[in-house]
Amino acid sequence: MSEIYTLDSDALLLDSFSECIRNREIEQKYIYFGQGWEWYYDWENNFKYKNEKWFNPDDFKSFFDKAQMNSENSEGVIISLGCGNSAKEALILEKLNNNIHYFGIDSSHSMLSLSIKELWHLQNPKTFLCADFSTKAFRTELKQLTKFSKNRLFVFFSNTFWNIQHTNIIDILWNLLHKWEKIWLDVTVRQWTWIKEDFEMWQRMSDLFHNDETKSFFIKPITRLWIKPDDIELIIKTKKEKFINALKFDFYYLIKNRSEINIKWEKIVILPNEEIKFLQIYTYDQYGLIDFFEEHDFKLVDKNLKGYRWQFLFEKK
């Protein structure tokens, strides 16, 4: 049975959550804590865009081959950042040799437990690390855990990359990867950059975040603090990030009435009409995203399109 290695204690996570509330900006990872993983997958299974196109296992396998890792003698490593339940990774590993060592990284212990169940039937060596991959502690730990391999592939699947502040993660990636190592993205990208296309993307986001299933899922982190659901409104703010040519959607809780909460016996007061940011999503233009990586000393190896979904493979120079 695989073990989960944990870098952050529950006490430290609760302290961090308290600080997030005081700063009125909750990190996305807190959405999946506790029963959050269960609520997320219930929501994902119940709410799908009609006629949406997704990559299938053969699409992933074909793209993976371009990373040149599938050698019988290689000590290859796949490092999935924000792995969730590792469902997509399981589809890929089933098509590969058993020499590939899989590292699942997620800040939710419950998500990693799901990953273990998803991958139990595979003979590949597996390591699961409960950690925030943006921290220096994680980078130090990963360096030690993977020092046996000079053939590492980092992946962001299931749109994990579009939730992250890219100006933060791009420099983390450059310092994390060795020269010639690769990063593989599976992300939603704008097909065009016309105003009409931008409006359609905004409409998709608005529809997504204003249906009952979505609202029920996303307000759960804040209702855990005993704020009444009727006192919470979800709002969206949109802007363009010109330097990367992306649309950015920021999502907030609007608190309608004065609320008083306690975290670890410390009182926090939230006044009427205060906003608490809980999520951000970027929808990229492919050329803007490629230029952004190239300006940070990565080069494009390959890309692949299916509807609004794109795969990108970048290599550190």
Side-chain angles (χ1 to χ4, degrees), residues 188-193 198 201 240 245-247 283-285:
T188 297
V189 171
R190 302 154 70 197
Q191 293 178 321
W192 310 100
T193 57
D198 288 349
M201 183 62 71
K240 281 190 176 181
N245 203 19
L247 285 179
T283 56
Y284 301 101
D285 161 59

Side-chain angles (χ1 to χ4, degrees), residues 57-288:
D58 289 334
D59 293 327
F60 281 116
K61 172 59 169 60
S62 176
F63 205 75
F64 173 85
D65 289 341
K66 297 169 184 177
Q68 300 179 343
M69 290 187 63
N70 200 19
S71 168
E72 292 294 330
N73 298 319
S74 72
E75 292 184 286
V77 168
I78 294 178
I79 302 166
S80 182
L81 303 173
C83 65
N85 66 358
S86 298
K88 288 185 178 178
E89 293 86 336
L91 296 175
I92 296 168
L93 290 170
E94 286 169 356
K95 292 179 172 289
L96 306 179
N97 66 67
N98 294 333
N99 289 335
I100 302 294
H101 191 133
Y102 176 68
F103 282 80
I105 316 299
D106 204 283
S107 56
S108 167
H109 196 280
S110 298
M111 286 289 193
L112 293 174
S113 296
L114 287 179
S115 288
I116 290 173
K117 293 178 181 178
E118 189 76 37
L119 301 171
W120 71 269
H121 62 291
L122 297 174
Q123 298 302 310
N124 303 71
K126 298 176 282 288
T127 301
F128 299 95
L129 188 59
C130 186
D132 182 340
F133 56 74
S134 68
T135 64
K136 186 174 182 179
F138 163 73
R139 297 195 291 274
T140 301
E141 188 71 16
L142 186 68
K143 182 178 180 180
Q144 291 300 313
L145 290 173
T146 61
K147 62 183 180 181
F148 64 88
S149 175
K150 295 183 179 179
N151 191 8
R152 303 183 305 173
L153 173 64
F154 291 79
V155 303
F156 278 112
F157 286 156
S158 302
N159 264 333
T160 302
F161 189 82
W162 79 342
N163 296 136
I164 303 170
Q165 181 65 36
H166 44 268
T167 52
N168 179 22
I169 195 61
I170 191 69
D171 291 323
I172 289 173
L173 288 173
W174 195 91
N175 288 290
L176 188 61
L177 273 65
H178 301 311
K179 195 172 184 179
W180 313 123
E181 288 186 329
K182 298 178 179 67
I183 179 74
W184 177 7
L185 309 181
D186 158 38
V187 67
T188 297
V189 171
R190 302 154 70 197
Q191 293 178 321
W192 310 100
T193 57
W194 303 329
I195 294 176
K196 178 178 180 291
E197 176 75 10
D198 288 349
F199 178 77
E200 289 176 355
M201 183 62 71
W202 177 87
Q203 190 64 59
R204 283 162 60 90
M205 290 295 175
S206 182
D207 292 345
L208 173 65
F209 279 85
H210 286 98
N211 71 79
D212 292 339
E213 292 88 352
T214 302
K215 182 176 180 181
S216 176
F217 165 60
F218 278 108
I219 67 172
K220 281 185 169 67
I222 199 76
T223 55
R224 291 188 198 127
L225 302 176
W226 305 105
I227 297 177
K228 297 176 182 178
D230 289 343
D231 287 341
I232 303 165
E233 181 182 342
L234 298 184
I235 61 175
I236 305 174
K237 298 181 182 181
T238 309
K239 69 175 183 178
K240 281 190 176 181
E241 297 278 10
K242 291 185 178 180
F243 69 93
I244 195 172
N245 203 19
L247 285 179
K248 183 183 181 185
F249 300 88
D250 289 317
F251 300 89
Y252 296 82
Y253 304 118
L254 174 65
I255 308 302
K256 298 178 182 179
N257 294 304
R258 184 183 186 278
S259 300
E260 189 173 305
I261 61 177
N262 284 276
I263 301 177
K264 291 183 69 174
W265 306 283
E266 292 186 346
K267 184 174 76 171
I268 299 175
V269 174
I270 303 173
L271 299 178
N273 296 314
E274 284 201 67
E275 298 172 354
I276 303 175
K277 183 179 174 182
F278 68 91
L279 182 65
Q280 62 188 17
I281 290 177
Y282 293 89
T283 56
Y284 301 101
D285 161 59
Q286 61 156 317
Y287 302 108

